[in-house]
Amino acid sequence: MDSLAGQAVYPLHRCKTIHLVRHAQGIHNVEGEKDHKAYLSPELLDAQLTPLGWQQVDNLRKHVHASGLSKKIELVIVSPLLRTMQTAVGVFGGEGYSDGIDVPPLMVANAGNSSRAAISSLNCPPFIAVELCREHLIESDDDNLWKADVRERNEDLAARGMKFLNWLWTRKEKEIAVVTHSGFLIHTLNAYGNDCHPSLKSELGRPFNNCELRSVVIVDKSMIGSDSSTTDYPGKIPSGADVPSAAAK
């Protein structure tokens, strides 16, 4: 059995495919490369994308459509900050929005001083903004608040990320895109893979580039979800004798 030590088999309905995306370049990234303390600046808390960031969004969108991924994703979950929402809508949203359509746009024109046209909500998966996959924050008894000089501890961020992945099992969708932040991705993913080969563990926890997409599979080992299989077939229809040959005397 040693030859199988590095393998695992799980029922398909206990698995979900998650497409993880770090937001494109924001103005805080540019300032943060000059001075890392800029990441704590309240003025850059809800930073918008740079023109370069929008180019990164356009290129990822082309990849998502060329690979066929855009037709597979059933839901887009996004951190509720401007840079992640701009990235999510730009990559996974509909085409250009036209006046007169009786459906609200997914993103209005010039959102966040982007100089970008409105984006349609037609012909794209639904979007949900979720606080759990937000960047470092500070927690209080009243609300989740940001402070200019204090950030959530990395171990608490990792715990929040694990809670988020458990929450995904309450969703019926099997193929989900998550658009979030570098810190959230790094500390969440580094909490996993300890039972894998070191090279796989390293691959899983490697930092994300701006607007990078990586696909992973999560497995419901603890029966958190209640999904039933849509592909399994019970057999024995019509019924008849079928004693396995190994059990026959």
Side-chain angles (χ1 to χ4, degrees):
M1 298 298 290
D2 289 344
S3 62
L4 300 180
Q7 302 175 14
V9 177
Y10 301 101
L12 181 61
H13 68 282
R14 297 294 174 189
C15 304
K16 288 184 189 287
T17 301
I18 310 298
H19 305 284
L20 302 170
V21 179
R22 181 191 174 191
H23 63 77
Q25 185 193 69
I27 59 173
H28 68 305
N29 294 130
V30 176
E31 296 304 316
E33 290 214 2
K34 300 174 186 175
D35 180 1
H36 195 265
K37 293 181 180 178
Y39 286 116
L40 297 176
S41 169
E43 288 78 17
L44 298 176
L45 167 62
D46 200 16
Q48 73 268 26
L49 298 186
T50 65
L52 177 64
W54 278 109
Q55 291 179 37
Q56 294 170 344
V57 166
D58 292 339
N59 286 330
L60 179 54
R61 181 182 179 86
K62 292 175 184 176
H63 167 75
V64 165
H65 282 265
S67 65
L69 196 56
S70 60
K71 297 180 180 180
K72 298 178 181 178
I73 292 173
E74 303 168 67
L75 176 69
V76 178
I77 297 175
V78 56
S79 159
L81 294 180
L82 180 58
R83 56 190 177 272
T84 41
M85 291 194 289
Q86 287 179 319
T87 301
V89 171
V91 172
F92 300 107
E95 300 298 333
Y97 180 79
S98 300
D99 291 335
I101 298 178
D102 192 25
V103 176
L106 196 57
M107 185 182 82
V108 299
N110 197 36
N113 299 315
S114 63
S115 300
R116 304 279 291 199
I119 295 177
S120 174
S121 58
L122 295 174
N123 302 314
C124 67
F127 286 64
I128 302 177
V130 175
E131 190 78 16
L132 272 177
C133 64
R134 183 170 161 173
E135 183 58 287
H136 284 85
L137 49 82
I138 188 74
E139 297 184 19
S140 72
D141 293 334
D142 300 321
D143 197 1
N144 289 334
L145 303 173
W146 284 84
K147 290 185 178 179
D149 57 350
V150 179
R151 301 187 95 191
E152 183 180 21
R153 295 184 308 167
N154 292 338
E155 54 267 38
D156 293 333
L157 178 55
R160 176 159 57 85
M162 296 172 74
K163 182 178 179 181
F164 170 75
L165 291 182
N166 285 339
W167 171 79
L168 287 182
W169 283 109
T170 68
R171 303 292 315 181
K172 64 181 180 179
E173 298 85 3
K174 289 297 187 181
E175 196 141 356
I176 300 172
V178 177
V179 184
T180 181
H181 306 266
S182 175
F184 179 84
L185 290 166
I186 290 172
H187 297 295
T188 299
L189 293 176
N190 273 316
Y192 294 91
N194 293 319
D195 56 345
C196 299
H197 187 280
S199 295
L200 197 154
K201 167 77 172 175
S202 177
E203 178 184 350
L204 190 64
R206 178 170 50 85
F208 278 65
N209 294 319
N210 281 126
C211 220
E212 180 178 353
L213 181 151
R214 288 187 220 159
S215 301
V216 300
V217 173
I218 59 174
V219 180
D220 182 16
K221 295 182 180 180
S222 302
M223 301 289 287
I224 298 172
S226 58
D227 293 350
S228 58
S229 174
T230 59
T231 58
D232 289 359
Y233 182 74
K236 207 173 182 179
I237 302 174
S239 181
D242 65 349
V243 176
S245 58
K249 295 183 180 179

